[in-house]
Amino acid sequence: MPPPWPPPPSGSPTTTTASVAVRRSDDTRSNDNDARVSPAPILDLLNGFRKSAVLFTAVRLGVLDVLAAAAEPVDGSGDRGAAGLGLADVLAGLRARHGGGGGDRAEFSADAVARLLRAAAALGLVEVFVAGGAARGHGGDEGKAIGGGAGGSDGIIELDCENLGENEDDDAGVRFRLTPVAREFLVSTAPQSLAGYVEHSEATIQPLFLALPHAVLTGGTAWEAAFKAPVTGDAATATGTTASADALAGTAFGSLYATPEARARFLRAMHSHATLFASAVAAAFDLSFVKAAPAGGPPAVVDVGGGTAALALELVRQWPHLRRGGGSSVAVLDLPGVIAEVRAAGYDNAEVTLIEGDFFAELPRPAARLYVLSRILHDWDDTACGRILARVAAALRSRVAGGTEPDGDGAVLIAETLLDEYDGEEAGGGRWRAGPERAVMQDLNMLVQTGGRERTARQYGRLLRGAGFRGRVLVRRTGAYLDAILAFLD
């Protein structure tokens, strides 16, 4: 047998009847390619859709829910899921969840499920370990290190092929459990679950992004190109109002709101997404200037298009002075069809009042002191945004004209993902800062999905001025998914 050291030339590992020299992926030996630009960022981009597919599949098939169901503490220690599940248990849970497992039906492949779980582990969603020992494939169980130093200075180990069993079960003793981040955000029953948004991303956003070339060529949405059919749905029936029916006709919302089932799916997605930013938006500014309305009076705060009231509830929690006897001074205004679905799905809460309305029509009077527009304006072009903001400004001005605003003017709180501004102070005449990444990706999402856009703070400032807001405009980068703008009427 040739000696294992020195190592063979790069690309020519030594193979014998008894051992195999294996180069590990963390090899750092210099070579002729070191001076070249690494293709790693490009390869990572190319693999992005594969990573998303792992996430979509694990959520849609309920793999993570099955692991979570077995994660209850059994000894009162609170160590959830410490024992994990073996592959056979995962398969049994999946088959039970999908109503299979009987007769000759084979709904899930054991080999494929194991490979999916390993991929989920590589992405940080699942932990893979061996009961009573270290995980396979990590450490010294591959073979002995050769070369110099611990692990071999060249990252080479010698595999003992002589002692490999012909029928060795590579999965013997292997168990799976959720990582903390998966348990917190991807289990469907978790309070801050993003499972609804994952499902929406797979069913709607992913196909639209695959049709991005169409949107770039035409400047229009990618709905028809992605789904090979025009936007469908009776907008008047779906929304229950004429103004929004006219505005939504021919847009993605015509389909997203077309049926109770479609509305329910979209609301689940929006609710799970809202859990990411509600706390940061509610805390962005000092809202103590908004006084609770007296019992029986109009709400002091109205979240326009607020859907499941996730943000409205957070406003009440962070600003408890907005509570009032027998209810709250915070309300959600949304389309009749949406309000009906919110109630049917159990999202309604005694701390938030639900009001049927339409932000393309006149807002209810008497008006509120603060209006909230969270993820509303990015859905629309500048003309439609001007109409929405003008409705808000008119409502706020009606308070002043009616003498119901003795302690100052009203305001609008806008929550959106802000694009970076042009930086004119950069040496050489300035540059455009392309980011942040979440904002530019969401901007393309609006392009393919609704025809709207993300904007810079200055662009929102121009929209506000055009709609009649003349007071201070405060901007806060929250560090969360959404940023915040507070604009006063006068």
Side-chain angles (χ1 to χ4, degrees):
M1 178 188 300
W5 191 262
S10 177
S12 303
T14 297
T15 303
T16 73
T17 58
S19 67
V20 180
V22 182
R23 180 175 297 282
R24 292 189 176 182
S25 60
D26 58 357
D27 184 358
T28 58
R29 182 170 46 182
S30 62
N31 55 52
D32 293 340
N33 292 327
D34 278 353
R36 301 177 184 175
V37 176
S38 170
I42 304 302
L43 296 177
D44 190 56
L45 290 174
L46 284 171
N47 281 322
F49 77 95
R50 304 182 193 189
K51 298 175 183 179
S52 295
V54 171
L55 173 64
F56 295 157
T57 302
V59 170
R60 176 152 59 95
L61 296 182
V63 175
L64 305 180
D65 280 354
V66 167
L67 290 173
E72 295 300 328
V74 295
D75 58 1
S77 67
D79 187 9
R80 299 174 62 87
L85 287 181
L87 180 59
D89 296 324
V90 175
L91 287 167
L94 288 171
R95 287 167 179 161
R97 182 183 180 92
H98 291 269
D104 295 328
R105 300 177 65 187
E107 289 80 4
F108 291 91
S109 160
D111 175 65
V113 170
R115 292 160 74 174
L116 176 67
L117 286 166
R118 284 191 171 85
L123 297 179
L125 307 179
V126 172
E127 293 176 353
V128 184
F129 64 102
V130 177
R136 291 179 185 267
H138 298 277
D141 61 329
E142 290 176 337
K144 66 177 182 179
I146 60 179
S153 65
D154 201 50
I156 294 177
I157 57 93
E158 182 173 350
L159 184 65
D160 184 5
C161 293
E162 297 251 355
N163 293 317
L164 294 178
E166 292 184 7
N167 299 313
E168 183 177 351
D169 183 0
D170 292 327
D171 293 325
V174 173
R175 303 185 73 80
F176 307 91
R177 63 188 172 202
L178 295 178
T179 59
V181 69
R183 188 182 304 123
E184 184 82 10
F185 296 112
L186 294 177
V187 175
S188 62
T189 56
Q192 287 190 297
S193 176
L194 292 173
Y197 195 72
V198 172
E199 293 169 355
H200 174 67
S201 295
E202 179 186 18
T204 302
I205 299 177
Q206 177 184 233
L208 288 170
F209 263 81
L210 291 176
L212 178 60
H214 172 84
V216 173
L217 285 168
T218 65
T221 71
W223 197 273
E224 293 188 26
F227 298 106
K228 310 305 180 187
V231 175
T232 59
D234 182 349
T237 301
T239 63
T241 68
T242 301
S244 273
D246 293 341
L248 298 179
T251 73
F253 292 105
S255 289
L256 293 173
Y257 286 176
T259 66
E261 294 77 14
R263 285 196 298 273
R265 183 170 57 250
F266 184 62
L267 285 175
R268 283 197 303 272
M270 294 301 98
H271 181 79
S272 67
H273 200 229
T275 62
L276 289 179
F277 62 77
S279 178
V281 171
F285 302 105
D286 182 357
L287 301 182
S288 60
F289 71 92
V290 182
K291 308 302 181 185
V301 179
V302 173
D303 186 357
V304 180
T308 63
L311 177 55
L313 278 171
E314 190 63 29
L315 287 168
V316 173
R317 290 167 185 157
Q318 292 202 31
W319 301 98
H321 74 280
L322 294 175
R323 291 189 174 96
R324 62 184 178 188
S328 167
S329 289
V330 179
V332 164
L333 180 143
D334 218 316
L335 299 168
V338 173
I339 294 295
E341 185 57 42
V342 167
R343 290 195 170 106
Y347 289 115
D348 52 330
N349 187 290
E351 291 193 304
V352 174
T353 303
L354 299 180
I355 302 173
E356 294 182 357
D358 183 349
F359 55 63
F360 282 112
E362 182 178 280
L363 296 175
R365 305 291 196 273
R369 176 77 182 276
L370 176 69
Y371 287 92
V372 180
L373 294 171
S374 176
R375 297 179 298 170
I376 298 297
L377 298 180
H378 75 165
D379 287 329
W380 306 98
D381 62 20
D382 287 356
T383 300
C385 287
R387 289 173 56 195
I388 296 168
L389 288 170
R391 297 292 188 189
V392 173
L396 291 172
R397 202 163 297 286
S398 73
R399 291 189 56 127
V400 178
T404 59
E405 196 67 66
D407 53 352
D409 64 345
V412 60
L413 174 62
I414 298 170
E416 297 285 3
T417 304
L418 293 178
L419 291 168
D420 284 339
E421 302 281 357
Y422 176 80
D423 184 357
E425 298 180 359
E426 184 74 10
R431 63 185 176 91
W432 179 57
R433 296 186 294 176
E437 181 179 305
R438 69 180 188 279
V440 294
M441 291 298 105
Q442 185 69 352
D443 184 46
L444 289 179
N445 185 30
M446 295 299 99
L447 170 64
V448 299
Q449 189 169 182
T450 69
R453 67 191 311 127
E454 302 301 331
R455 297 173 173 88
T456 66
R458 293 183 183 184
Q459 288 172 327
Y460 279 114
R462 287 195 289 270
L463 288 174
L464 287 161
R465 286 292 186 261
F469 285 84
R470 296 291 181 265
R472 293 187 303 159
V473 177
L474 308 178
V475 179
R476 190 179 191 96
R477 298 273 187 169
T478 67
Y481 194 85
L482 292 189
D483 303 302
I485 298 173
L486 183 64
F488 291 88
L489 182 63
D490 292 309

